[in-house]
Amino acid sequence: MTTATRPERLLSLLVPTFPVINPNLDVLRPALLRAGIAFEERAFDHVRLRGCDVEAPDAHGDYAPLRTASLLWPMGFGTRANFLDKLQLLELACRDTRCVTAPEALVLAHAKYDLVRTTPPLRHPETYASHDARWLWGIVQSGGEWVAKPPAASFGRGVFRLDANDRNGLAVLEQLTEHGRGTQAVLTRGVRRDAQGGTRVRLAFGD
């Protein structure tokens, strides 16, 4: 068991599991070090409840209560199977410790669905979502280029460009919807790539 003294103010980054594969962390870690902010990383996928304490392990498997941190920052969804359980435990932890991303935001706003209601100037292309691969494939058959993806994946995972002539298009959509197991997939009309790059929205410590 680790006995090192924990800093008085500590940011706890809740990563899905170890080893960590997250390009955002590659940028965030050196930025925190330059700012002199003490931080640790704990595995969100392995969070547990001990009495009234919500605990999570570090890379060595040593558990510590999340309330001993000054700030919690969830850095991903982790395993889908226990997502709701983790979010309920995170909500308990956030009663004791401030959270950069609130549990309700992870549930309601951390996916592609909310983007369709974004008002100008952040316009969003025509979008559909369903667990029915054949219904989505019918939309692709209407013409044009489309982008198929999971609603809550990151870093380009599971993203496919499709059109009506794609021989594997239906198979791709069946893969994304897990062959009728109820998993949703998002289909967005393709847009011309801007030479100036896209728009990335970041919000910190605000509403």
PDB file of all heavy atoms in Angstrom, residues 3 14 23 76 88 101 108 117 121 148 156 158 162 176 178 181-182 201 206:
ATOM      1  N   THR A   3       2.218   4.785   0.850  1.00  0.00           N
ATOM      2  CA  THR A   3       2.099   5.604   2.059  1.00  0.00           C
ATOM      3  C   THR A   3       2.591   7.023   1.837  1.00  0.00           C
ATOM      4  O   THR A   3       2.745   7.784   2.772  1.00  0.00           O
ATOM      5  CB  THR A   3       2.902   4.968   3.211  1.00  0.00           C
ATOM      6  OG1 THR A   3       4.265   4.832   2.813  1.00  0.00           O
ATOM      7  CG2 THR A   3       2.328   3.607   3.574  1.00  0.00           C
ATOM      8  N   LEU A  14      -9.619  11.038 -13.630  1.00  0.00           N
ATOM      9  CA  LEU A  14     -10.254   9.722 -13.646  1.00  0.00           C
ATOM     10  C   LEU A  14     -10.205   9.174 -15.064  1.00  0.00           C
ATOM     11  O   LEU A  14     -11.067   9.458 -15.894  1.00  0.00           O
ATOM     12  CB  LEU A  14     -11.698   9.830 -13.137  1.00  0.00           C
ATOM     13  CG  LEU A  14     -11.860  10.420 -11.731  1.00  0.00           C
ATOM     14  CD1 LEU A  14     -13.320  10.462 -11.333  1.00  0.00           C
ATOM     15  CD2 LEU A  14     -11.048   9.621 -10.716  1.00  0.00           C
ATOM     16  N   PRO A  23      -5.104  10.925 -26.238  1.00  0.00           N
ATOM     17  CA  PRO A  23      -4.295  12.043 -26.736  1.00  0.00           C
ATOM     18  C   PRO A  23      -4.486  13.328 -25.933  1.00  0.00           C
ATOM     19  O   PRO A  23      -3.567  14.148 -25.852  1.00  0.00           O
ATOM     20  CB  PRO A  23      -4.792  12.218 -28.174  1.00  0.00           C
ATOM     21  CG  PRO A  23      -5.335  10.877 -28.554  1.00  0.00           C
ATOM     22  CD  PRO A  23      -5.940  10.329 -27.294  1.00  0.00           C
ATOM     23  N   GLY A  76     -13.082  10.266 -19.607  1.00  0.00           N
ATOM     24  CA  GLY A  76     -13.621   9.341 -20.601  1.00  0.00           C
ATOM     25  C   GLY A  76     -14.720   8.485 -20.021  1.00  0.00           C
ATOM     26  O   GLY A  76     -14.946   8.468 -18.807  1.00  0.00           O
ATOM     27  N   GLN A  88     -23.238   6.825 -11.095  1.00  0.00           N
ATOM     28  CA  GLN A  88     -23.912   6.983  -9.805  1.00  0.00           C
ATOM     29  C   GLN A  88     -22.897   7.097  -8.670  1.00  0.00           C
ATOM     30  O   GLN A  88     -23.073   7.895  -7.742  1.00  0.00           O
ATOM     31  CB  GLN A  88     -24.872   5.821  -9.568  1.00  0.00           C
ATOM     32  CG  GLN A  88     -26.063   5.851 -10.520  1.00  0.00           C
ATOM     33  CD  GLN A  88     -27.005   4.695 -10.296  1.00  0.00           C
ATOM     34  OE1 GLN A  88     -27.383   4.396  -9.170  1.00  0.00           O
ATOM     35  NE2 GLN A  88     -27.395   4.034 -11.378  1.00  0.00           N
ATOM     36  N   THR A 101     -16.274  17.958 -14.772  1.00  0.00           N
ATOM     37  CA  THR A 101     -17.417  17.587 -15.602  1.00  0.00           C
ATOM     38  C   THR A 101     -18.435  16.883 -14.725  1.00  0.00           C
ATOM     39  O   THR A 101     -18.153  15.810 -14.181  1.00  0.00           O
ATOM     40  CB  THR A 101     -17.008  16.659 -16.760  1.00  0.00           C
ATOM     41  OG1 THR A 101     -15.949  17.273 -17.499  1.00  0.00           O
ATOM     42  CG2 THR A 101     -18.176  16.386 -17.680  1.00  0.00           C
ATOM     43  N   LEU A 108     -25.941  13.481 -20.348  1.00  0.00           N
ATOM     44  CA  LEU A 108     -26.852  14.206 -21.231  1.00  0.00           C
ATOM     45  C   LEU A 108     -26.174  15.012 -22.336  1.00  0.00           C
ATOM     46  O   LEU A 108     -26.805  15.308 -23.352  1.00  0.00           O
ATOM     47  CB  LEU A 108     -27.732  15.155 -20.393  1.00  0.00           C
ATOM     48  CG  LEU A 108     -28.617  14.478 -19.343  1.00  0.00           C
ATOM     49  CD1 LEU A 108     -29.339  15.522 -18.515  1.00  0.00           C
ATOM     50  CD2 LEU A 108     -29.614  13.535 -19.999  1.00  0.00           C
ATOM     51  N   ARG A 117     -29.014  20.512 -31.914  1.00  0.00           N
ATOM     52  CA  ARG A 117     -29.793  21.667 -31.476  1.00  0.00           C
ATOM     53  C   ARG A 117     -28.917  22.908 -31.259  1.00  0.00           C
ATOM     54  O   ARG A 117     -29.398  23.904 -30.735  1.00  0.00           O
ATOM     55  CB  ARG A 117     -30.541  21.330 -30.179  1.00  0.00           C
ATOM     56  CG  ARG A 117     -31.629  20.295 -30.368  1.00  0.00           C
ATOM     57  CD  ARG A 117     -32.730  20.822 -31.281  1.00  0.00           C
ATOM     58  NE  ARG A 117     -33.807  19.869 -31.431  1.00  0.00           N
ATOM     59  CZ  ARG A 117     -34.906  19.879 -30.674  1.00  0.00           C
ATOM     60  NH1 ARG A 117     -35.040  20.775 -29.730  1.00  0.00           N
ATOM     61  NH2 ARG A 117     -35.851  18.984 -30.878  1.00  0.00           N
ATOM     62  N   PRO A 121     -23.629  30.526 -34.538  1.00  0.00           N
ATOM     63  CA  PRO A 121     -22.946  30.191 -35.793  1.00  0.00           C
ATOM     64  C   PRO A 121     -22.402  28.760 -35.859  1.00  0.00           C
ATOM     65  O   PRO A 121     -21.746  28.412 -36.824  1.00  0.00           O
ATOM     66  CB  PRO A 121     -21.782  31.187 -35.802  1.00  0.00           C
ATOM     67  CG  PRO A 121     -21.447  31.348 -34.352  1.00  0.00           C
ATOM     68  CD  PRO A 121     -22.768  31.294 -33.622  1.00  0.00           C
ATOM     69  N   ALA A 148     -20.663   7.792 -40.644  1.00  0.00           N
ATOM     70  CA  ALA A 148     -21.292   6.924 -39.649  1.00  0.00           C
ATOM     71  C   ALA A 148     -20.341   6.761 -38.475  1.00  0.00           C
ATOM     72  O   ALA A 148     -19.133   6.586 -38.669  1.00  0.00           O
ATOM     73  CB  ALA A 148     -21.620   5.566 -40.254  1.00  0.00           C
ATOM     74  N   GLY A 156     -11.770   9.679 -33.127  1.00  0.00           N
ATOM     75  CA  GLY A 156     -11.953   9.089 -34.443  1.00  0.00           C
ATOM     76  C   GLY A 156     -12.214   7.598 -34.452  1.00  0.00           C
ATOM     77  O   GLY A 156     -12.256   6.986 -35.537  1.00  0.00           O
ATOM     78  N   GLY A 158     -14.094   4.211 -34.691  1.00  0.00           N
ATOM     79  CA  GLY A 158     -15.369   3.749 -35.220  1.00  0.00           C
ATOM     80  C   GLY A 158     -16.031   4.702 -36.182  1.00  0.00           C
ATOM     81  O   GLY A 158     -17.254   4.647 -36.356  1.00  0.00           O
ATOM     82  N   LEU A 162     -19.314   6.868 -45.799  1.00  0.00           N
ATOM     83  CA  LEU A 162     -20.123   5.972 -46.618  1.00  0.00           C
ATOM     84  C   LEU A 162     -20.820   6.741 -47.725  1.00  0.00           C
ATOM     85  O   LEU A 162     -21.092   7.927 -47.592  1.00  0.00           O
ATOM     86  CB  LEU A 162     -21.199   5.276 -45.758  1.00  0.00           C
ATOM     87  CG  LEU A 162     -20.745   4.479 -44.535  1.00  0.00           C
ATOM     88  CD1 LEU A 162     -21.970   3.986 -43.772  1.00  0.00           C
ATOM     89  CD2 LEU A 162     -19.868   3.312 -44.948  1.00  0.00           C
ATOM     90  N   LEU A 176     -21.719  -1.175 -36.338  1.00  0.00           N
ATOM     91  CA  LEU A 176     -21.887  -0.077 -35.389  1.00  0.00           C
ATOM     92  C   LEU A 176     -23.095  -0.293 -34.475  1.00  0.00           C
ATOM     93  O   LEU A 176     -23.071   0.099 -33.309  1.00  0.00           O
ATOM     94  CB  LEU A 176     -22.032   1.247 -36.140  1.00  0.00           C
ATOM     95  CG  LEU A 176     -20.767   1.795 -36.811  1.00  0.00           C
ATOM     96  CD1 LEU A 176     -21.095   3.016 -37.660  1.00  0.00           C
ATOM     97  CD2 LEU A 176     -19.711   2.155 -35.763  1.00  0.00           C
ATOM     98  N   GLU A 178     -24.161  -3.179 -33.629  1.00  0.00           N
ATOM     99  CA  GLU A 178     -23.946  -4.488 -33.001  1.00  0.00           C
ATOM    100  C   GLU A 178     -25.015  -5.493 -33.398  1.00  0.00           C
ATOM    101  O   GLU A 178     -25.555  -6.230 -32.571  1.00  0.00           O
ATOM    102  CB  GLU A 178     -23.844  -4.341 -31.479  1.00  0.00           C
ATOM    103  CG  GLU A 178     -22.649  -3.507 -31.048  1.00  0.00           C
ATOM    104  CD  GLU A 178     -22.421  -3.503 -29.546  1.00  0.00           C
ATOM    105  OE1 GLU A 178     -23.285  -4.006 -28.803  1.00  0.00           O
ATOM    106  OE2 GLU A 178     -21.362  -2.992 -29.126  1.00  0.00           O
ATOM    107  N   ARG A 181     -28.489  -5.448 -31.570  1.00  0.00           N
ATOM    108  CA  ARG A 181     -28.513  -5.587 -30.115  1.00  0.00           C
ATOM    109  C   ARG A 181     -28.973  -4.313 -29.409  1.00  0.00           C
ATOM    110  O   ARG A 181     -28.853  -4.189 -28.199  1.00  0.00           O
ATOM    111  CB  ARG A 181     -27.136  -5.992 -29.596  1.00  0.00           C
ATOM    112  CG  ARG A 181     -26.692  -7.379 -30.050  1.00  0.00           C
ATOM    113  CD  ARG A 181     -25.457  -7.838 -29.270  1.00  0.00           C
ATOM    114  NE  ARG A 181     -25.028  -9.149 -29.669  1.00  0.00           N
ATOM    115  CZ  ARG A 181     -24.095  -9.394 -30.587  1.00  0.00           C
ATOM    116  NH1 ARG A 181     -23.499  -8.374 -31.200  1.00  0.00           N
ATOM    117  NH2 ARG A 181     -23.744 -10.625 -30.898  1.00  0.00           N
ATOM    118  N   GLY A 182     -29.467  -3.346 -30.158  1.00  0.00           N
ATOM    119  CA  GLY A 182     -29.991  -2.130 -29.547  1.00  0.00           C
ATOM    120  C   GLY A 182     -29.007  -0.986 -29.444  1.00  0.00           C
ATOM    121  O   GLY A 182     -29.330   0.067 -28.903  1.00  0.00           O
ATOM    122  N   VAL A 201     -14.915  23.365 -29.766  1.00  0.00           N
ATOM    123  CA  VAL A 201     -15.462  24.146 -28.677  1.00  0.00           C
ATOM    124  C   VAL A 201     -14.974  23.581 -27.347  1.00  0.00           C
ATOM    125  O   VAL A 201     -15.090  22.382 -27.089  1.00  0.00           O
ATOM    126  CB  VAL A 201     -17.013  24.132 -28.697  1.00  0.00           C
ATOM    127  CG1 VAL A 201     -17.571  24.946 -27.538  1.00  0.00           C
ATOM    128  CG2 VAL A 201     -17.512  24.679 -30.018  1.00  0.00           C
ATOM    129  N   GLY A 206     -17.477  27.024 -16.536  1.00  0.00           N
ATOM    130  CA  GLY A 206     -18.546  27.897 -16.985  1.00  0.00           C
ATOM    131  C   GLY A 206     -19.809  27.105 -17.253  1.00  0.00           C
ATOM    132  O   GLY A 206     -19.861  25.896 -17.070  1.00  0.00           O
TER     133      GLY A 206
END
